[in-house]
Amino acid sequence: MSRDQGILISFEGSEGCGKSTQIHRIADRLEEFDHREVVVTREPGGTQIGEDIRHLLMHADASEAMHPETELLLFAASRAQLVREIIYPAVNEGKIILCDRFLDSTTVYQGVARQIAEDPVTQINNFAVGEIIPDLTIILDIPPEVGLERIKHRVSDMPDRMEQENVEFYGKVREGYLHLARSLPKRFFVVDGERDPDGIEIDIWNEIHARFYS
């Protein structure tokens, strides 16, 4: 791979799958191994506008009355800002970007779990991201019961609106991700998120090394 070519890696999975832990571990490995700047960002959020949208989506009292179509458009708005303000410039500058969720979250959460029709979800996704598609998407796969149990035992944060969904919702989320991975095997890499964090990190790092550095 050319040294001036940026890399975008997205991390996906249902709530409680351990994405944040692995993103920071992999960022440390990449900075030590590649010596390029590693940009860590998240969805929704990553920019001031995106963080304001995140609060509205996840924590605002009014979000309890939010319709699925509104949710879809707000996620897309945050993503459009993130792509143009952070991701696209970083890719052009040859940086490595690790993104906690990206367009596949909308495909799964709003398209599959919220049951919004596929065509508008795809069109809105495409409009938001333009030509930016992840070079690799890591899915940390866990059963919905495991994710909900992990959320329950968190001590630092109150569950946000998405984390308060039921086990049936997260069952649909899991199946949506696995369907995407089967449909696009060249982009997706599925990791067993129930394993110990060290083993998960090694699996992810080995996949990144094989794809971009071998």
Side-chain angles (χ1 to χ4, degrees), residues 29-117:
R29 278 185 178 258
L30 283 166
E31 286 174 344
E32 182 177 352
F33 181 84
D34 192 297
H35 305 298
R36 279 187 285 178
E37 182 177 346
V38 177
V39 177
V40 174
T41 190
R42 69 176 182 174
E43 275 210 0
T47 66
Q48 186 57 59
I49 290 172
E51 292 298 328
D52 289 346
I53 294 172
R54 182 185 184 90
H55 175 76
L56 179 57
L57 279 163
M58 303 296 193
H59 302 291
D61 292 340
S63 68
E64 296 299 324
M66 190 176 297
H67 290 278
E69 294 82 1
T70 307
E71 183 181 89
L72 166 66
L73 293 168
L74 286 172
F75 274 109
S78 176
R79 181 170 305 124
Q81 186 70 24
L82 181 65
V83 165
R84 288 152 183 83
E85 183 176 333
I86 303 294
I87 295 178
Y88 190 73
V91 167
N92 282 341
E93 292 166 9
K95 298 175 183 177
I96 301 171
I97 305 96
L98 305 182
C99 194
D100 187 340
R101 300 199 182 284
F102 198 52
L103 79 165
D104 301 301
S105 285
T106 289
T107 300
V108 169
Y109 276 75
Q110 284 73 52
V112 176
R114 299 280 193 227
Q115 298 182 318
I116 299 177

Side-chain angles (χ1 to χ4, degrees), residues 5 7 37 45 50 52 55 58 76 78 81-82 91 97 102 157 163-165 168 170-171 179 181 204 206 213:
Q5 183 177 350
I7 302 171
E37 182 177 346
D52 289 346
H55 175 76
M58 303 296 193
S78 176
Q81 186 70 24
L82 181 65
V91 167
I97 305 96
F102 198 52
D157 298 304
E163 292 172 339
Q164 295 176 32
E165 292 289 351
E168 290 78 17
Y170 286 116
H179 175 74
I204 294 173
N206 286 343
Y213 300 104

Side-chain angles (χ1 to χ4, degrees), residues 105-195:
S105 285
T106 289
T107 300
V108 169
Y109 276 75
Q110 284 73 52
V112 176
R114 299 280 193 227
Q115 298 182 318
I116 299 177
E118 181 178 351
D119 285 350
V121 170
T122 300
Q123 291 171 9
I124 291 167
N125 255 344
N126 290 341
F127 181 73
V129 304
E131 63 186 50
I132 298 294
I133 299 295
D135 299 291
L136 171 64
T137 298
I138 307 291
I139 296 176
L140 278 78
D141 176 51
I142 56 171
E145 298 84 0
V146 173
L148 289 172
E149 191 67 19
R150 289 178 179 179
I151 292 168
K152 188 189 306 181
H153 287 89
R154 286 177 179 168
V155 295
S156 57
D157 298 304
M158 288 291 292
D160 61 40
R161 187 174 64 89
M162 302 301 289
E163 292 172 339
Q164 295 176 32
E165 292 289 351
N166 58 35
V167 69
E168 290 78 17
F169 180 88
Y170 286 116
K172 293 176 183 177
V173 167
R174 185 189 192 191
E175 287 306 311
Y177 276 125
L178 293 178
H179 175 74
L180 276 179
R182 291 191 295 268
S183 302
L184 298 166
K186 291 184 179 180
R187 176 157 72 86
F188 286 89
F189 179 67
V190 180
V191 183
D192 181 356
E194 288 193 89
R195 296 178 55 205

